[in-house]
Amino acid sequence: MSHTVIVEHVSKVYRQGELDVPALTDISLVIDAGGFVSLHGPSGSGKTTLLNIIGGLDRPTAGDVIVAGKSLNSLSRSELAELRLDRIGFVFQSYNLIPVLSALENVEFIMQLQGVPDDERRERAMAVLKEVGLGGMEKRRPAQLSGGQQQRVAVARAIVSNPDIVLADEPTANLDSKTSAKLLELMQKMNQERGVTFVFSTHDPLVMKYARRLIALSDGRVVDDQSAGK
Amino acid sequence: MKAFSARAGLLLGLAFRNMLRNPRRSILTLSAISVGVWSCTSLAALARGVGAEMARDAIYNLTGHIQIHAPDYVEDPSIEHRFKWPNQKINRLLKEIDTAGIAVRVRVPAVVASERETRSVTLVGIDPAQEQGLSFIGDKISAGDLFSAAGKSGIVIGRALLDELETKQGKRVVLLSQNTKNEIADRGFRITAVFDAELESTEKSYVFVSREAAQTMLGMQGEVSEIAVTLKDKDKLHEYVTRLKQALPEFEVHSWRELEPLVTALNSIQNGFLFLWYLIVIVTVAFGLVNTLFMAIYERTYEIGLTQAIGFSPLMVLFEVVFESFYLLISGAIIGNILALLTNLWLKDGVDVSAFARGTEMIGVSSMIYPDQRISDLVAVNILVLIIGIAGSVYPAWRASRLTPVEAMGRRE
């Protein structure tokens, strides 16, 4: 099985005034293609920081991350942006969508940046919106969608361009349990049918129930890493 | 760059929608830009109108576009500096250029005396037919006919001078001047006509007799003081003056700009002040725009982080903000230009500044100002607004582009 992400001895230290606050300490792990992985732990355990570093949104103080065979440390900000565009999908906790764009346009956003022709772009975006259960809501702006619907649009946007990996930062944090379950089923379906790798940061037990690999973090260190059911 | 046009289209679309996002703020910014453009272009139109009026008055006030004199006449416009007329060479040269009118004159300092008052004036001996359409005297006779009644003994004087001399039309005045023998020549003339001019100073400065009468009085038979020429195409002024100067080294040839240095200087000063005004207004507007953009960026910091997270490069963030500024500037400029054109339409019959007549007369401006909206001013103002506005917006745009996704998205919490 190929490796989608390799994390090599990553540490992250934040400077707060006169103090150095370690957020991650010497983390190494490998995420295989097709994985459905949760990074879980209490608040402040470093799961969002790790997710940000894997996604090239933040840089480690030490160590490196390899995504799709590329060392993130070697990439400029623009090159990181290109990598995120082509290889990584993101789903955030909330406010995932661009408010001035409709659901369809939000889903088309990444493909438009990638230069996908208009017709193909529209067709793919419509299809994936239908797939996530939002057929008929294409023209709605984010403000006209519920929280769960917005997260579905975000998932649609994240997967529509067939990225290597989707990073989801507490995607169910603002959803009720029923909506959370529906969203997780959707992502599980995408993982199984499309083979997209998903990595979540979460402290939601429901998410952990769906994950096939559970990586526990505490005080910036990996304290447990096991496959579901073991 | 990958899919450059698709990205540009996306950025332009986003920037446009962002502009519409906060209508009240955008309307305020648009208003500031529109008023700025309107004030610059409208002021330019009025200032150009004043400038054009000054130039027109200067040219119409006996100067013409080009004058030919004997050497040193301009420095010392006395009878000593005269030349023989007709002159075959000058006639041939003037036929080669595209003239609208040619007036040959005697023009010397003189004193005019009525029974009660005496005033120093410029005596101008003219051929009335030549002055038609070339100078004010051919068109400004308000009472009586030019020399017709009294023939060679008729004189035309301005209304203001008539009052100062405490005389009236039909009465006689005496002209005194130096003749060609350096003796005092005097002769009585009957006031056959009175002229009204835009400027009171003009009415007080000149008296007109027929050229033949002036030549007889001064002993200048076969001689004149100046030739004034008006052109059909004033844009060829420089070319024709240069040509005449080269061809007539034994004469002095001047353009009206050289003969009216005050008007030329005022026009230059006016250009400088206009440009300064443009800069002040446009820079002020640009500060307002920059402030608006900072507010917009502050409100959208999370969104900037989000767009970077999902694929925007720093350069695209910069362009998104610059494009929004461009939309505001273009829309504001269009509204400002429309307002300026409507203002010009409203003022097309002129602005009456007669309440300030004494002040305006000092700079040779009549009591009506007609807006003169030039394309060059519109282009200059609009280009300046765009350049300064875009340049100003680059700073907030650059600040936005420097935010990392994590910084930007973290600022919401």
Side-chain angles (χ1 to χ4, degrees):
Chain A
M1 186 172 281
S2 62
H3 304 320
T4 301
V5 176
I6 302 170
V7 179
E8 295 175 334
H9 303 291
V10 162
S11 295
K12 178 71 182 180
V13 178
Y14 288 109
R15 186 91 181 156
Q16 286 186 343
E18 300 286 308
L19 292 175
D20 284 340
V21 180
L24 297 174
T25 307
D26 195 26
I27 289 186
S28 293
L29 53 90
V30 170
I31 295 169
D32 295 326
F36 204 67
V37 182
S38 94
L39 301 171
H40 64 93
S43 288
S45 60
K47 52 190 186 298
T48 296
T49 304
L50 181 57
L51 209 65
N52 286 340
I53 288 173
I54 291 172
L57 301 178
D58 203 355
R59 291 194 187 267
T61 311
D64 198 2
V65 175
I66 313 293
V67 175
K70 289 185 178 173
S71 156
L72 301 193
N73 281 356
S74 67
L75 301 180
S76 66
R77 284 187 64 196
S78 295
E79 288 167 334
L80 277 176
E82 290 292 321
L83 180 84
R84 288 194 296 268
L85 176 65
D86 292 332
R87 301 299 189 111
I88 305 172
F90 286 94
V91 179
F92 298 102
Q93 186 175 328
S94 57
Y95 306 110
N96 263 297
L97 306 179
I98 297 165
V100 292
L101 301 181
S102 67
L104 183 68
E105 288 166 334
N106 265 289
V107 176
E108 284 186 286
F109 188 87
I110 287 169
M111 289 188 288
Q112 195 167 353
L113 288 176
Q114 290 173 327
V116 176
D118 290 0
D119 292 345
E120 183 190 340
R121 196 171 73 215
R122 182 115 327 175
E123 196 179 316
R124 280 168 62 182
M126 294 283 276
V128 79
L129 274 174
K130 196 173 174 187
E131 204 175 340
V132 300
L134 292 175
M137 296 188 184
E138 295 87 355
K139 289 184 178 172
R140 290 195 189 180
R141 292 272 178 98
Q144 297 167 312
L145 296 169
S146 69
Q149 288 169 334
Q150 287 186 35
Q151 290 301 74
R152 282 166 178 265
V153 175
V155 171
R157 183 188 63 201
I159 61 166
V160 73
S161 59
N162 298 318
D164 294 346
I165 185 168
V166 172
L167 302 174
D169 184 12
E170 307 210 27
T172 59
N174 292 329
L175 304 180
D176 58 56
S177 56
K178 193 176 165 190
T179 313
S180 295
K182 279 187 179 173
L183 185 72
L184 286 163
E185 278 162 20
L186 171 69
M187 290 196 276
Q188 192 177 49
K189 185 180 157 203
M190 298 297 154
N191 170 254
Q192 288 167 354
E193 291 180 0
R194 292 172 171 250
V196 179
T197 307
F198 278 83
V199 179
F200 307 91
S201 76
T202 187
H203 49 239
D204 182 352
L206 188 65
V207 176
M208 289 183 262
K209 203 175 109 185
Y210 278 83
R212 292 202 302 276
R213 182 179 169 192
L214 302 162
I215 300 171
L217 294 173
S218 179
D219 295 332
R221 294 173 190 274
V222 175
V223 292
D224 192 19
D225 185 349
Q226 58 177 295
S227 296
K230 288 184 181 173
Chain B
M1 192 176 172
K2 187 199 280 185
F4 175 79
S5 60
R7 291 182 180 194
L10 176 65
L11 287 173
L12 285 166
L14 263 182
F16 185 73
R17 292 193 195 182
N18 282 336
M19 182 183 72
L20 302 178
R21 227 163 144 167
N22 190 329
R24 190 169 54 183
R25 189 169 60 208
S26 293
I27 287 171
L28 281 172
T29 310
L30 276 179
S31 304
I33 297 168
S34 306
V35 168
V37 170
W38 167 79
S39 75
C40 285
T41 48
S42 295
L43 185 78
L46 284 174
R48 298 296 179 202
V50 170
E53 187 71 15
M54 282 163 64
R56 194 164 42 243
D57 282 353
I59 291 163
Y60 199 48
N61 193 17
L62 301 177
T63 308
H65 290 117
I66 301 171
Q67 285 197 354
I68 301 169
H69 301 105
D72 300 327
Y73 176 85
V74 172
E75 199 173 321
D76 175 19
S78 67
I79 195 166
E80 289 167 31
H81 304 121
R82 60 190 189 275
F83 59 93
K84 294 208 175 297
W85 187 258
N87 181 306
Q88 297 301 322
K89 186 178 179 185
I90 293 176
N91 269 333
R92 179 176 50 77
L93 285 166
L94 292 180
K95 273 178 191 161
E96 288 172 6
I97 66 176
D98 208 8
T99 59
I102 300 169
V104 181
R105 303 175 185 136
V106 169
R107 185 160 160 171
V108 292
V111 169
V112 60
S114 67
E115 300 103 312
R116 294 188 179 84
E117 293 290 340
T118 303
R119 290 287 183 275
S120 65
V121 292
T122 297
L123 163 63
V124 190
I126 58 171
D127 176 346
Q130 290 181 337
E131 301 291 340
Q132 298 278 330
L134 187 146
S135 71
F136 72 90
I137 191 60
D139 308 324
K140 292 284 181 184
I141 305 303
S142 63
D145 295 324
L146 206 62
F147 317 136
S148 61
K152 291 177 187 174
S153 62
I155 187 169
V156 179
I157 69 175
R159 189 165 301 283
L161 183 62
L162 195 75
D163 294 340
E164 286 196 347
L165 292 173
E166 296 180 26
T167 184
K168 58 185 181 182
Q169 191 177 342
K171 292 220 168 190
R172 289 179 68 85
V173 290
V174 176
L175 275 181
L176 294 94
S177 186
Q178 184 182 308
N179 66 15
T180 53
K181 294 175 183 167
N182 289 334
E183 294 165 346
I184 295 297
D186 61 273
R187 183 174 166 187
F189 288 88
R190 186 171 303 281
I191 301 168
T192 53
V194 177
F195 68 87
D196 293 312
E198 292 285 351
L199 308 179
E200 198 180 81
S201 58
T202 305
E203 292 179 5
K204 290 178 181 175
S205 300
Y206 299 102
V207 297
F208 296 90
V209 299
S210 73
R211 191 171 74 216
E212 203 182 336
Q215 285 171 321
T216 305
M217 173 184 158
L218 301 169
M220 282 178 64
Q221 282 83 356
E223 293 176 312
V224 294
S225 308
E226 77 180 16
I227 299 170
V229 179
T230 51
L231 303 174
K232 283 180 184 163
D233 183 359
K234 62 183 178 184
D235 293 335
K236 289 190 172 172
L237 177 67
H238 180 72
E239 178 194 332
Y240 289 157
V241 167
T242 307
R243 195 193 297 179
L244 288 172
K245 278 183 177 178
Q246 284 169 352
L248 296 169
E250 67 277 33
F251 289 89
E252 274 186 352
V253 179
H254 292 104
S255 72
W256 72 268
R257 292 183 191 281
E258 294 168 299
L259 294 165
E260 300 286 349
L262 179 65
V263 175
T264 308
L266 283 173
N267 271 328
S268 300
I269 292 168
Q270 185 191 67
N271 286 341
F273 274 114
L274 270 182
F275 188 70
L276 200 62
W277 176 252
Y278 293 169
L279 275 185
I280 291 169
V281 171
I282 293 169
V283 167
T284 307
V285 167
F287 274 117
L289 177 68
V290 169
N291 189 41
T292 300
L293 291 174
F294 268 123
M295 286 163 65
I297 288 165
Y298 180 76
E299 283 175 9
R300 297 205 296 264
T301 304
Y302 179 88
E303 201 177 305
I304 288 167
L306 174 67
T307 52
Q308 289 202 76
I310 60 177
F312 262 21
S313 65
L315 195 64
M316 291 176 77
V317 173
L318 186 140
F319 273 110
E320 185 187 0
V321 178
V322 169
F323 284 166
E324 186 175 346
S325 148
F326 179 74
Y327 280 128
L328 286 167
L329 288 164
I330 281 283
S331 311
I334 289 170
I335 296 168
N337 288 330
I338 291 171
L339 288 176
L341 294 175
L342 288 175
T343 304
N344 290 335
L345 208 60
W346 180 47
L347 299 176
K348 71 178 175 10
D349 294 328
V351 182
D352 187 355
V353 291
S354 54
F356 313 102
R358 285 192 180 279
T360 56
E361 196 173 318
M362 281 174 68
I363 56 166
V365 176
S366 63
S367 56
M368 292 295 281
I369 296 173
Y370 298 91
D372 180 9
Q373 191 75 76
R374 297 184 187 174
I375 297 293
S376 57
D377 287 322
L378 284 174
V379 170
V381 169
N382 284 285
I383 286 178
L384 268 178
V385 162
L386 285 179
I387 289 176
I388 295 176
I390 295 285
S393 70
V394 165
Y395 178 60
W398 178 79
R399 287 282 300 269
S401 74
R402 298 311 301 159
L403 291 168
T404 67
V406 165
E407 280 171 349
M409 295 172 82
R411 282 190 191 179
R412 186 180 197 107
E413 279 85 32

